[in-house]
Amino acid sequence: MTAITLINGDGIGPEICDSVVKIIEASGLKIDWDVQTAGADVIEDEGTPLPPRVLESIKVNKVALKAPVTTPIGRDFRSVNVQLRRALDLYANVRPCKNLPNIKTKFKNVDLVVIRENTEDLYAGHEHKIDENTAETIKVITRKASDRICRYAFDYATRYKRKEVCVATKANICKLSDGLFLECFRNVAKEFPKINTREILVDNLCMQLVQDPTVFDVLVMPNMYGDIVSDLTAGLIGGLGVAQGANLGLYGAVFEPVHGSAPDLKGKNKANPSALLLSAIEMLRYIKEDKYADKIEKALFKTFEAGEFTEDLGGKLSTTEFTDAVIAKLK
Ligand code: NAI
């Protein structure tokens, strides 16, 4: 039986994890879930939101499914998500964005993927106060990280027969840092002559994405822009409830939705588990359980086609009712 680390997170995390574990179990696939708690709830007992046992578990299993973890604003501990990605060097954050069956959105034929550098930029953790009225956060962009994420994007485009890789930066303003990212993109692009390239400033990208997202294919960008743009692209296909993601590195992979812990929905049995389920489906493909991935995806799409939705998509189903609806379509 395959062992997979399961971080059930906080906020809506435990509810959507329950749903996804039940659906996978109902598909007939047996997984040995190594459940690891993390986040604000474990600080009191273990002194840290990300205890070493969590990292150890992922290092051993090499694959994890992760629900969101809250990062309180202004409190004195670093984001579990950022720490995890850095500690395991999960350098590529891959966030596909494709129309889903029967989910009505402004645009048809959206099929793009945001590839976000996941280890540095404004997330490097170099932040300090100069005095009471001045604070600085240092934006770190290195050749090594920029080169490997751009290479990842071109490799991805080649593997999935994509036609174009577009780089988004603010190289006009951050001339040195984003300028270095752009330089790496241009250098790597030369090794992939069959893939078209496009360069865009990230503000213009946002404007064009909301006017016509169908012209975009693979997008690669530094960490902060990727964080923001992937919430925007989630909105193009129905919202955060259906936006999947994966953090990938040389030594492991952590699959997680784009959304956060949605404290406003915690404990209400209202969260949409689809984003975590879609992330889990990609995880199953990653561990070569394609048969089960296809089976679960089919059941999820049939549920959408039947117009059975949670409230975020205009439906009436609770999390547990939606889970049962997907399970019913597995049979
Ligand atoms: P959020 O993504 O949790 O919520 C934004 C909005 O989307 C809310 O109205 C929420 O109800 C809705 N939403 C999110 N997921 C949904 C779902 N599955 N079904 C239905 N509606 C859904 O973003 P927010 O409120 O900015 O962040 C909350 C916390 O989550 C923060 O502490 C943040 O740091 C953390 N966070 C954690 C992430 C992770 O663990 N990877 C990623 C993003 C945020």
Side-chain angles (χ1 to χ4, degrees), residues 10 12 16 66-73 79 81 85 95 227 231 240-242 247 256-265 270-276 310-312:
D10 52 31
I12 59 168
I16 57 174
K66 180 185 160 296
V69 177
T70 305
T71 307
I73 294 172
S79 156
N81 310 306
R85 292 166 191 166
R95 297 179 158 181
D227 189 1
D231 264 42
L240 287 167
V242 291
N247 304 284
E256 66 174 341
V258 172
H259 67 73
S261 56
D264 51 326
L265 297 182
K270 282 186 173 176
N272 186 349
S274 303
L276 184 66
T310 43
E311 282 182 18
D312 57 310

Side-chain angles (χ1 to χ4, degrees), residues 48-323:
T48 164
L50 183 62
R53 60 174 167 74
V54 183
L55 295 175
E56 275 316 305
S57 165
I58 303 173
K59 279 183 189 156
V60 171
N61 296 326
K62 306 267 187 285
V63 182
L65 182 63
K66 180 185 160 296
V69 177
T70 305
T71 307
I73 294 172
R75 277 195 36 201
D76 195 24
F77 67 79
R78 291 188 61 203
S79 156
V80 165
N81 310 306
V82 173
Q83 278 188 65
L84 190 81
R85 292 166 191 166
R86 280 170 63 87
L88 299 169
D89 200 21
L90 300 166
Y91 68 90
N93 193 326
V94 179
R95 297 179 158 181
C97 169
K98 192 174 173 182
N99 288 119
L100 292 157
N102 199 26
I103 297 184
K104 290 178 188 54
T105 53
K106 196 164 173 214
F107 302 99
K108 291 193 180 100
N109 304 319
V110 176
D111 183 8
L112 57 87
V113 54
V114 176
I115 298 183
R116 163 186 174 191
E117 201 290 320
N118 220 11
T119 62
E120 55 183 28
D121 192 2
L122 288 163
Y123 296 73
H126 303 309
E127 199 173 37
H128 53 262
K129 269 228 161 136
I130 293 184
D131 61 39
E132 203 43 38
N133 302 309
T134 317
E136 279 185 352
T137 303
I138 297 171
K139 178 177 165 91
V140 180
I141 300 283
T142 65
R143 187 177 297 281
K144 182 181 166 215
S146 306
D147 184 84
R148 71 178 175 171
I149 196 65
C150 291
R151 195 171 298 282
Y152 185 94
F154 280 97
D155 280 337
Y156 182 100
T158 308
R159 198 165 359 124
Y160 292 101
K161 302 193 173 24
R162 297 282 189 158
K163 292 196 167 48
E164 180 188 273
V165 180
C166 171
V167 64
T169 64
K170 280 294 280 182
N172 56 333
I173 302 298
C174 300
K175 291 179 195 297
L176 298 183
S177 52
D178 282 8
L180 176 58
F181 194 93
L182 183 58
E183 182 192 326
C184 291
F185 175 84
R186 287 176 178 163
N187 287 338
V188 173
K190 287 182 201 147
E191 297 171 36
F192 296 85
K194 290 194 182 128
I195 310 272
N196 297 330
T197 60
R198 189 196 301 221
E199 296 174 8
I200 196 164
L201 297 177
V202 70
D203 39 358
N204 182 17
L205 170 68
C206 291
M207 193 273 294
Q208 292 204 29
L209 277 171
V210 297
Q211 286 197 323
D212 183 9
T214 64
V215 300
F216 293 101
D217 194 346
V218 176
L219 295 159
V220 64
M221 59 199 81
N223 205 341
M224 175 65 96
Y225 308 140
D227 189 1
I228 297 166
V229 169
S230 56
D231 264 42
L232 186 159
T233 56
L236 299 171
I237 55 162
L240 287 167
V242 291
Q244 58 166 305
N247 304 284
L248 304 161
L250 293 180
Y251 312 106
V254 176
F255 293 80
E256 66 174 341
V258 172
H259 67 73
S261 56
D264 51 326
L265 297 182
K266 181 184 172 179
K268 294 189 174 154
N269 196 19
K270 282 186 173 176
N272 186 349
S274 303
L276 184 66
L277 185 59
L278 287 161
S279 309
I281 290 168
E282 277 320 301
M283 179 191 75
L284 296 183
R285 296 201 168 109
Y286 180 85
I287 61 166
K288 310 251 180 300
E289 292 287 3
D290 292 72
K291 189 179 93 185
Y292 292 100
D294 293 348
K295 186 176 173 184
I296 297 168
E297 187 179 70
K298 229 177 176 176
L300 176 67
F301 288 180
K302 271 191 198 166
T303 311
F304 290 155
E305 272 152 14
E308 294 174 284
F309 293 119
T310 43
E311 282 182 18
D312 57 310
L313 292 173
K316 290 197 169 75
L317 299 190
S318 65
T319 310
T320 44
E321 287 166 341
F322 182 80
T323 307

